[in-house]
Structures are given as structure tokens and as C-alpha cells.
Amino acid sequence: MSNSKPFPWHYFIRSVRSRIFYILTTALLTYIITQHYKEELLVKIIILSLGIITVAFIHSLFRIIPFRNLLYKFDNIQMKLPHDKKLSIIYEKDEWVLLEEMIHLADHYISQQQDLIENQSEQSHTILENIPNSIVIIDKFENCKSYNSHFQKRFLSDLDCSILENVKTFKVFDENLVTSFKEAILADKCIKISGLYFSKQNEYFDVAITPIHNKDKKVTGALGIFHNVTELKLTEKMRVDFVANVSHEIRTPLTSIKGYGQLLQAYEEKVSDEIKPILLKIDRNADRLQDLFDNLLKLSVIESKYELNMSEISVRTLFNLIEHNIKAKYLGERITFIFKIEIETILGDEMLLEQLFTNLIDNAVKYARAEQEVIIAINTYDLQNDYCIQISDNGPGMQQEELTRIFERFYRVQGVSTKNIEGSGLGLSIAKHIVNKHQGDISVKSQVNEGTCFTIKLPH
Ligand code: ADP
């Protein structure tokens, strides 16, 4: 018993010391008073009592000052406790009872909190383990602090198990990914990387890195989530390869059909007049087929393209190039470009953006009314978060009900204005895909017989 609850000797000695101090003080006072006031007993008693009271008062005051701090702390703890756990009337209790109650309460509360923390950690563990992605938490010093078994299997299996506790990120990831983690922590921003290839694993992952904050909103580390997209990547690659192969395989016989058709046309005198229009039709349809496969291939490549080749593009240079190409394609047509360029550069994939604006401007010329001068106005200006590019023409325009459908694959407006104009119905679908890839927006306004205006917004 003495082992489990040792007797608090030092408190006992302190208490005895305090009492001896009182006895000695009283004796000393009695001696001094007896020396000074020899005859008057009443005066002696009064002065002795006053002396003892003063000493008791000062002594108690010094003992109570630290207890006052303790009470103040109790009060603070009380405020943080749930209502039903509060001690009743704190200042009316005996100090030892109060201390005991408070310690008992704190003990009870700490055990409850421990249970809660253990339960929560168990829950988090279950959640982490059951998410099919690989998850890792990295601290400020680039140590992998915590991870689920998917992460361990994928990224740590070839590392020495004894050092797994605090494995450094540079041992697991390549330099670029380590830099991304650092950037997320230092700049306090989320970073997303699509289709990142990990050579050791021979797999592709979409990686999302999110900074982790403490309660003071300070970044203490980062959370990395790795979503395996290897299968998706391979399927998409197969699809692109398939379309590319089909297009290529079809292009060869198509070129030879076109070549033989043109050869026959060249033998003018040997070909009868009835056959000549048929040869022309063969030539035109071969062109159409080639156009269709080219567009299908483009659409498929854009759809599957994982990462854009982003760069700053000079707006003026881009549109000058497109103007030059369009004028070369439609030699002899009256085409006027009116530029109002308020932004110097835009951010995007140059090849795709050239394709996007070429498709829109090509349509403006293609669908223009016969014999009419084509006027294409290109306005570019800066909105708060987006670059805005407007391409307007003075062409035949479209009915309002057509506008919702023209971005669909293979959709072509049926009408007099498009009757003899060749097309696959894929141009605007390609345009929309390119804009979506840039996380932008494309919209159209049109008035029959007045013209059409496409507005493209691309984020800064
Ligand atoms: P395509 O031109 O190959 O038919 P698009 O997807 O480029 O396919 O266009 C879809 C339809 O939208 C076209 O059939 C055409 O009728 C209409 N269109 C597109 N641009 C214009 C324009 N600038 N003016 C009038 N009609 C247009």
C-alpha cells in the first residue's frame, strides 16, 4: 500500500513548519510585549492578539496568492468544459475538495478525449485503407509521415522497411514531383498533375497535392492522392492508334482512287462527255472522304490528348498566319479581315488554338453568300479572369434553334445556304473540344441574313 500511495512527507513537514512558525512568532511577541508593558495585562493581550492576527493575515495572504492563480486557471478550464461537466460554485468549496474534483474531472475528460482520438484515428485508418487510391501525407521537412497500404505497395515496396517511418520524398518520387510537393507547401496551393508516368511502376497516375493546415491556418504539410489511370491511358492510346491506323489505311486507297480519277480526266479526248461529270464527282467525293477522316483523326487526338503544350502565343502573329492561309485557300474570293486586338498574348496550346480559329474563320468564308465580299471581324480583349476572342462574319447567319445543335458531332444545318457546301459536321465539334481542353467556353450568336459571332473565353 505504501508503494502505491506514498505518504506526502514534504507536505507534512511544510505544515508542521508553518505551525512551529506560528508558535515561535507568538512566543517571541509575548516575550517582547512582557518586556515593554510590565503592569497592564489588558494592553498586553490586545497587542499580542493584534500581532498574531497581523502575522496570520500576512502569512495567509502569501499562501493565497498562488492559489488565486490556480483558481483563475480552474475558471479557464471550466469555460472549455461541456456544460454538464462544470464544477458547481467554484469559490464556495474547500480548496482541497475543489482540487480533487477538478483533477478527477480532468482525468475523466482526458480519458474521454483519448478514446475519441483513438476512435477517430481508427476511423481515418479504415477510410484511408478503403480508398482505392494511393494516399500519402508529407510533412514540412519532406518526410512521408503517413500513408495507406496502396501507397506502400506501389511506391515503397522496394525500400528498406526499417526506414519506412520517416522516408524522404526524394527516395520515392522523381525531382519534378518532389518540387511540386514543395511548391504546394511553400505557396499554400493545390496542385493537380494529369497522367504522370512513373517509370519504376510503369504506370500512369493523376496526382492531386493539397496543403494541410493546422488550426492556426499554417501549412504543416501536404496530402498527395494518386489515382491510377494506366488502363484509361492504354485504352485511349488504343483508340487513337485505331483511328490513326484506319485513317492512314483509308488514305492510301483514297489517294489512288483520286489519282486514277484525275488521270482519266487528263485523257479528255478519250473520255466521253457523259463520263466527265462522273469523274468530277469521284474526285469531289474522294476529297470529302479524305476531309472526313482527317477531321475524325483530329477529333480523336484532341479528345485523348492528356496534356496541352501550353505557351504564350502572340495573338497578332497567330491571326496573321490564319489570314494568310485562308486567303491562300480561297484565292480569288473577296475576303477582308478587320482586327481589333487589345491583348498581346494568350496562353494555350498553339497548334490547337490555330486549329480552333481556322475552323471558325474557314466556316465564315465557306458559308458566305455567293458573290458577296466576306468581312471577318476579329476582336480580342481582356476580361477579369479570361481572354475573350470574338470572331464575327457578315454571312447568312443561322436560325436560333440551330445554335444549340451546331457543336454536336456530324450536325450540319440543312438549308439553302448550306445546300452545295461540303463539310463533315465536325469542324465546330473540334472547336468545342479544343476550348474545353483549355477549360474555356465557346458561345455563338447569330441573326439570319446578318451574320454570326462566335465568342471564345480562355482562362488566364
Ligand atoms: P461543317 O462546316 O463541316 O459542316 P461545322 O461543325 O464546322 O461542320 O459546322 C456545323 C454547321 O454550322 C454547318 O453545317 C453550318 O451550317 C453551320 N455554320 C457554322 N459556321 C457558320 C457560319 N459562320 N455561318 C453560317 N453557318 C455556319
PDB file of all heavy atoms in Angstrom, residues 363-364 366-367 393 396-398 406 411-413 418 423-429 452 454, ligand 1:
ATOM      1  N   ASN A 363     -15.210  28.497 -91.744  1.00  0.00           N
ATOM      2  CA  ASN A 363     -16.674  28.424 -91.880  1.00  0.00           C
ATOM      3  C   ASN A 363     -17.240  29.752 -92.355  1.00  0.00           C
ATOM      4  O   ASN A 363     -18.151  29.790 -93.186  1.00  0.00           O
ATOM      5  CB  ASN A 363     -17.320  28.079 -90.533  1.00  0.00           C
ATOM      6  CG  ASN A 363     -17.322  26.581 -90.284  1.00  0.00           C
ATOM      7  OD1 ASN A 363     -17.021  25.804 -91.182  1.00  0.00           O
ATOM      8  ND2 ASN A 363     -17.658  26.176 -89.065  1.00  0.00           N
ATOM      9  N   ALA A 364     -16.695  30.872 -91.782  1.00  0.00           N
ATOM     10  CA  ALA A 364     -17.205  32.192 -92.153  1.00  0.00           C
ATOM     11  C   ALA A 364     -17.063  32.413 -93.659  1.00  0.00           C
ATOM     12  O   ALA A 364     -17.964  32.975 -94.295  1.00  0.00           O
ATOM     13  CB  ALA A 364     -16.447  33.265 -91.376  1.00  0.00           C
ATOM     14  N   LYS A 366     -16.565  29.850 -95.939  1.00  0.00           N
ATOM     15  CA  LYS A 366     -17.236  28.743 -96.644  1.00  0.00           C
ATOM     16  C   LYS A 366     -18.742  28.997 -96.793  1.00  0.00           C
ATOM     17  O   LYS A 366     -19.326  28.741 -97.847  1.00  0.00           O
ATOM     18  CB  LYS A 366     -16.996  27.453 -95.827  1.00  0.00           C
ATOM     19  CG  LYS A 366     -17.266  26.177 -96.568  1.00  0.00           C
ATOM     20  CD  LYS A 366     -16.580  25.003 -95.887  1.00  0.00           C
ATOM     21  CE  LYS A 366     -17.341  24.540 -94.661  1.00  0.00           C
ATOM     22  NZ  LYS A 366     -16.815  23.283 -94.115  1.00  0.00           N
ATOM     23  N   TYR A 367     -19.355  29.505 -95.711  1.00  0.00           N
ATOM     24  CA  TYR A 367     -20.816  29.665 -95.731  1.00  0.00           C
ATOM     25  C   TYR A 367     -21.260  31.060 -96.159  1.00  0.00           C
ATOM     26  O   TYR A 367     -22.444  31.387 -96.101  1.00  0.00           O
ATOM     27  CB  TYR A 367     -21.411  29.317 -94.353  1.00  0.00           C
ATOM     28  CG  TYR A 367     -21.220  27.850 -94.033  1.00  0.00           C
ATOM     29  CD1 TYR A 367     -20.297  27.438 -93.101  1.00  0.00           C
ATOM     30  CD2 TYR A 367     -21.937  26.875 -94.738  1.00  0.00           C
ATOM     31  CE1 TYR A 367     -20.081  26.093 -92.833  1.00  0.00           C
ATOM     32  CE2 TYR A 367     -21.729  25.536 -94.485  1.00  0.00           C
ATOM     33  CZ  TYR A 367     -20.803  25.144 -93.540  1.00  0.00           C
ATOM     34  OH  TYR A 367     -20.604  23.812 -93.319  1.00  0.00           O
ATOM     35  N   ASP A 393     -18.867  37.382 -88.584  1.00  0.00           N
ATOM     36  CA  ASP A 393     -18.875  37.485 -90.054  1.00  0.00           C
ATOM     37  C   ASP A 393     -20.161  38.125 -90.511  1.00  0.00           C
ATOM     38  O   ASP A 393     -21.083  38.340 -89.720  1.00  0.00           O
ATOM     39  CB  ASP A 393     -18.677  36.092 -90.678  1.00  0.00           C
ATOM     40  CG  ASP A 393     -19.803  35.129 -90.338  1.00  0.00           C
ATOM     41  OD1 ASP A 393     -20.991  35.478 -90.539  1.00  0.00           O
ATOM     42  OD2 ASP A 393     -19.498  34.012 -89.834  1.00  0.00           O
ATOM     43  N   PRO A 396     -24.627  34.341 -93.933  1.00  0.00           N
ATOM     44  CA  PRO A 396     -26.078  34.135 -93.958  1.00  0.00           C
ATOM     45  C   PRO A 396     -26.695  33.980 -92.567  1.00  0.00           C
ATOM     46  O   PRO A 396     -27.908  34.068 -92.416  1.00  0.00           O
ATOM     47  CB  PRO A 396     -26.232  32.837 -94.747  1.00  0.00           C
ATOM     48  CG  PRO A 396     -24.950  32.111 -94.514  1.00  0.00           C
ATOM     49  CD  PRO A 396     -23.902  33.144 -94.380  1.00  0.00           C
ATOM     50  N   GLY A 397     -25.881  33.718 -91.540  1.00  0.00           N
ATOM     51  CA  GLY A 397     -26.407  33.517 -90.171  1.00  0.00           C
ATOM     52  C   GLY A 397     -27.161  32.208 -90.047  1.00  0.00           C
ATOM     53  O   GLY A 397     -27.262  31.426 -91.013  1.00  0.00           O
ATOM     54  N   MET A 398     -27.689  31.956 -88.854  1.00  0.00           N
ATOM     55  CA  MET A 398     -28.421  30.691 -88.621  1.00  0.00           C
ATOM     56  C   MET A 398     -29.677  30.968 -87.802  1.00  0.00           C
ATOM     57  O   MET A 398     -29.732  31.948 -87.058  1.00  0.00           O
ATOM     58  CB  MET A 398     -27.541  29.715 -87.830  1.00  0.00           C
ATOM     59  CG  MET A 398     -26.414  29.127 -88.614  1.00  0.00           C
ATOM     60  SD  MET A 398     -25.285  28.214 -87.538  1.00  0.00           S
ATOM     61  CE  MET A 398     -24.155  29.453 -87.049  1.00  0.00           C
ATOM     62  N   ILE A 406     -25.316  23.038 -83.285  1.00  0.00           N
ATOM     63  CA  ILE A 406     -24.203  23.052 -84.252  1.00  0.00           C
ATOM     64  C   ILE A 406     -22.878  22.523 -83.706  1.00  0.00           C
ATOM     65  O   ILE A 406     -21.996  22.169 -84.466  1.00  0.00           O
ATOM     66  CB  ILE A 406     -23.980  24.470 -84.852  1.00  0.00           C
ATOM     67  CG1 ILE A 406     -23.818  25.480 -83.725  1.00  0.00           C
ATOM     68  CG2 ILE A 406     -25.070  24.840 -85.832  1.00  0.00           C
ATOM     69  CD1 ILE A 406     -23.386  26.850 -84.217  1.00  0.00           C
ATOM     70  N   TYR A 411     -23.287  17.241 -86.971  1.00  0.00           N
ATOM     71  CA  TYR A 411     -24.502  18.020 -87.215  1.00  0.00           C
ATOM     72  C   TYR A 411     -24.221  19.083 -88.266  1.00  0.00           C
ATOM     73  O   TYR A 411     -23.267  19.862 -88.154  1.00  0.00           O
ATOM     74  CB  TYR A 411     -25.000  18.690 -85.917  1.00  0.00           C
ATOM     75  CG  TYR A 411     -26.337  19.372 -86.129  1.00  0.00           C
ATOM     76  CD1 TYR A 411     -27.507  18.626 -86.138  1.00  0.00           C
ATOM     77  CD2 TYR A 411     -26.406  20.741 -86.383  1.00  0.00           C
ATOM     78  CE1 TYR A 411     -28.725  19.228 -86.392  1.00  0.00           C
ATOM     79  CE2 TYR A 411     -27.620  21.349 -86.623  1.00  0.00           C
ATOM     80  CZ  TYR A 411     -28.770  20.587 -86.635  1.00  0.00           C
ATOM     81  OH  TYR A 411     -29.981  21.191 -86.890  1.00  0.00           O
ATOM     82  N   ARG A 412     -25.096  19.145 -89.264  1.00  0.00           N
ATOM     83  CA  ARG A 412     -24.986  20.175 -90.303  1.00  0.00           C
ATOM     84  C   ARG A 412     -26.338  20.829 -90.457  1.00  0.00           C
ATOM     85  O   ARG A 412     -27.358  20.165 -90.441  1.00  0.00           O
ATOM     86  CB  ARG A 412     -24.568  19.567 -91.635  1.00  0.00           C
ATOM     87  CG  ARG A 412     -23.267  18.792 -91.572  1.00  0.00           C
ATOM     88  CD  ARG A 412     -22.625  18.692 -92.929  1.00  0.00           C
ATOM     89  NE  ARG A 412     -22.129  19.978 -93.361  1.00  0.00           N
ATOM     90  CZ  ARG A 412     -22.123  20.384 -94.626  1.00  0.00           C
ATOM     91  NH1 ARG A 412     -22.625  19.603 -95.570  1.00  0.00           N
ATOM     92  NH2 ARG A 412     -21.659  21.578 -94.956  1.00  0.00           N
ATOM     93  N   VAL A 413     -26.304  22.159 -90.613  1.00  0.00           N
ATOM     94  CA  VAL A 413     -27.580  22.879 -90.781  1.00  0.00           C
ATOM     95  C   VAL A 413     -28.111  22.560 -92.175  1.00  0.00           C
ATOM     96  O   VAL A 413     -27.369  22.613 -93.147  1.00  0.00           O
ATOM     97  CB  VAL A 413     -27.344  24.404 -90.629  1.00  0.00           C
ATOM     98  CG1 VAL A 413     -28.631  25.161 -90.917  1.00  0.00           C
ATOM     99  CG2 VAL A 413     -26.823  24.714 -89.238  1.00  0.00           C
ATOM    100  N   THR A 418     -26.595  26.136 -97.144  1.00  0.00           N
ATOM    101  CA  THR A 418     -25.551  25.097 -96.987  1.00  0.00           C
ATOM    102  C   THR A 418     -25.696  23.973 -98.010  1.00  0.00           C
ATOM    103  O   THR A 418     -24.987  22.977 -97.943  1.00  0.00           O
ATOM    104  CB  THR A 418     -25.637  24.479 -95.582  1.00  0.00           C
ATOM    105  OG1 THR A 418     -26.960  24.065 -95.347  1.00  0.00           O
ATOM    106  CG2 THR A 418     -25.175  25.418 -94.507  1.00  0.00           C
ATOM    107  N   GLY A 423     -18.993  19.493 -96.266  1.00  0.00           N
ATOM    108  CA  GLY A 423     -18.500  19.549 -94.879  1.00  0.00           C
ATOM    109  C   GLY A 423     -18.839  18.254 -94.179  1.00  0.00           C
ATOM    110  O   GLY A 423     -19.692  17.487 -94.639  1.00  0.00           O
ATOM    111  N   SER A 424     -18.175  18.007 -93.072  1.00  0.00           N
ATOM    112  CA  SER A 424     -18.405  16.744 -92.358  1.00  0.00           C
ATOM    113  C   SER A 424     -19.247  16.959 -91.102  1.00  0.00           C
ATOM    114  O   SER A 424     -19.653  16.007 -90.443  1.00  0.00           O
ATOM    115  CB  SER A 424     -17.055  16.136 -91.962  1.00  0.00           C
ATOM    116  OG  SER A 424     -16.329  17.084 -91.200  1.00  0.00           O
ATOM    117  N   GLY A 425     -19.475  18.209 -90.724  1.00  0.00           N
ATOM    118  CA  GLY A 425     -20.201  18.486 -89.475  1.00  0.00           C
ATOM    119  C   GLY A 425     -19.327  18.272 -88.250  1.00  0.00           C
ATOM    120  O   GLY A 425     -19.821  18.123 -87.130  1.00  0.00           O
ATOM    121  N   LEU A 426     -18.008  18.258 -88.463  1.00  0.00           N
ATOM    122  CA  LEU A 426     -17.100  18.011 -87.316  1.00  0.00           C
ATOM    123  C   LEU A 426     -16.310  19.264 -86.903  1.00  0.00           C
ATOM    124  O   LEU A 426     -15.735  19.308 -85.822  1.00  0.00           O
ATOM    125  CB  LEU A 426     -16.101  16.905 -87.671  1.00  0.00           C
ATOM    126  CG  LEU A 426     -16.654  15.477 -87.713  1.00  0.00           C
ATOM    127  CD1 LEU A 426     -15.600  14.517 -88.241  1.00  0.00           C
ATOM    128  CD2 LEU A 426     -17.104  15.029 -86.323  1.00  0.00           C
ATOM    129  N   GLY A 427     -16.313  20.287 -87.765  1.00  0.00           N
ATOM    130  CA  GLY A 427     -15.475  21.474 -87.519  1.00  0.00           C
ATOM    131  C   GLY A 427     -15.764  22.151 -86.184  1.00  0.00           C
ATOM    132  O   GLY A 427     -14.849  22.433 -85.404  1.00  0.00           O
ATOM    133  N   LEU A 428     -17.043  22.402 -85.892  1.00  0.00           N
ATOM    134  CA  LEU A 428     -17.387  23.099 -84.645  1.00  0.00           C
ATOM    135  C   LEU A 428     -17.244  22.174 -83.438  1.00  0.00           C
ATOM    136  O   LEU A 428     -16.975  22.622 -82.337  1.00  0.00           O
ATOM    137  CB  LEU A 428     -18.811  23.660 -84.709  1.00  0.00           C
ATOM    138  CG  LEU A 428     -18.987  24.843 -85.668  1.00  0.00           C
ATOM    139  CD1 LEU A 428     -20.418  25.352 -85.621  1.00  0.00           C
ATOM    140  CD2 LEU A 428     -18.031  25.971 -85.333  1.00  0.00           C
ATOM    141  N   SER A 429     -17.465  20.858 -83.683  1.00  0.00           N
ATOM    142  CA  SER A 429     -17.273  19.901 -82.594  1.00  0.00           C
ATOM    143  C   SER A 429     -15.802  19.895 -82.173  1.00  0.00           C
ATOM    144  O   SER A 429     -15.476  19.900 -80.975  1.00  0.00           O
ATOM    145  CB  SER A 429     -17.715  18.522 -83.088  1.00  0.00           C
ATOM    146  OG  SER A 429     -17.522  17.589 -82.107  1.00  0.00           O
ATOM    147  N   THR A 452     -22.920  35.917 -88.127  1.00  0.00           N
ATOM    148  CA  THR A 452     -22.722  35.051 -86.954  1.00  0.00           C
ATOM    149  C   THR A 452     -21.528  35.559 -86.164  1.00  0.00           C
ATOM    150  O   THR A 452     -20.572  36.066 -86.745  1.00  0.00           O
ATOM    151  CB  THR A 452     -22.449  33.606 -87.431  1.00  0.00           C
ATOM    152  OG1 THR A 452     -23.520  33.225 -88.290  1.00  0.00           O
ATOM    153  CG2 THR A 452     -22.365  32.627 -86.281  1.00  0.00           C
ATOM    154  N   PHE A 454     -18.987  34.194 -83.017  1.00  0.00           N
ATOM    155  CA  PHE A 454     -18.547  33.200 -82.025  1.00  0.00           C
ATOM    156  C   PHE A 454     -17.705  33.920 -80.969  1.00  0.00           C
ATOM    157  O   PHE A 454     -16.834  34.725 -81.324  1.00  0.00           O
ATOM    158  CB  PHE A 454     -17.697  32.110 -82.692  1.00  0.00           C
ATOM    159  CG  PHE A 454     -18.503  31.161 -83.535  1.00  0.00           C
ATOM    160  CD1 PHE A 454     -18.690  31.386 -84.897  1.00  0.00           C
ATOM    161  CD2 PHE A 454     -19.097  30.043 -82.960  1.00  0.00           C
ATOM    162  CE1 PHE A 454     -19.437  30.512 -85.669  1.00  0.00           C
ATOM    163  CE2 PHE A 454     -19.848  29.159 -83.727  1.00  0.00           C
ATOM    164  CZ  PHE A 454     -20.024  29.395 -85.086  1.00  0.00           C
TER     165      PHE A 454
HETATM  166  P1  ADP B   1     -19.142  21.607 -91.400  1.00  0.00           P
HETATM  167  O1  ADP B   1     -18.756  23.004 -91.740  1.00  0.00           O
HETATM  168  O2  ADP B   1     -18.112  20.638 -91.728  1.00  0.00           O
HETATM  169  O3  ADP B   1     -20.468  21.238 -91.922  1.00  0.00           O
HETATM  170  P2  ADP B   1     -19.174  22.541 -88.699  1.00  0.00           P
HETATM  171  O4  ADP B   1     -19.249  21.752 -87.455  1.00  0.00           O
HETATM  172  O5  ADP B   1     -17.999  23.394 -88.940  1.00  0.00           O
HETATM  173  O6  ADP B   1     -19.330  21.491 -89.830  1.00  0.00           O
HETATM  174  O7  ADP B   1     -20.469  23.439 -88.777  1.00  0.00           O
HETATM  175  C1  ADP B   1     -21.750  22.943 -88.425  1.00  0.00           C
HETATM  176  C2  ADP B   1     -22.832  23.724 -89.124  1.00  0.00           C
HETATM  177  O8  ADP B   1     -22.881  25.058 -88.603  1.00  0.00           O
HETATM  178  C3  ADP B   1     -22.557  23.938 -90.596  1.00  0.00           C
HETATM  179  O9  ADP B   1     -23.207  22.916 -91.300  1.00  0.00           O
HETATM  180  C4  ADP B   1     -23.113  25.286 -90.917  1.00  0.00           C
HETATM  181  O10 ADP B   1     -24.423  25.165 -91.404  1.00  0.00           O
HETATM  182  C5  ADP B   1     -23.188  25.996 -89.600  1.00  0.00           C
HETATM  183  N1  ADP B   1     -22.202  27.105 -89.533  1.00  0.00           N
HETATM  184  C6  ADP B   1     -21.003  27.055 -88.939  1.00  0.00           C
HETATM  185  N2  ADP B   1     -20.374  28.250 -89.013  1.00  0.00           N
HETATM  186  C7  ADP B   1     -21.206  29.066 -89.689  1.00  0.00           C
HETATM  187  C8  ADP B   1     -21.128  30.451 -90.088  1.00  0.00           C
HETATM  188  N3  ADP B   1     -20.070  31.199 -89.820  1.00  0.00           N
HETATM  189  N4  ADP B   1     -22.186  30.969 -90.737  1.00  0.00           N
HETATM  190  C9  ADP B   1     -23.270  30.219 -91.019  1.00  0.00           C
HETATM  191  N5  ADP B   1     -23.403  28.940 -90.665  1.00  0.00           N
HETATM  192  C10 ADP B   1     -22.384  28.357 -90.023  1.00  0.00           C
END
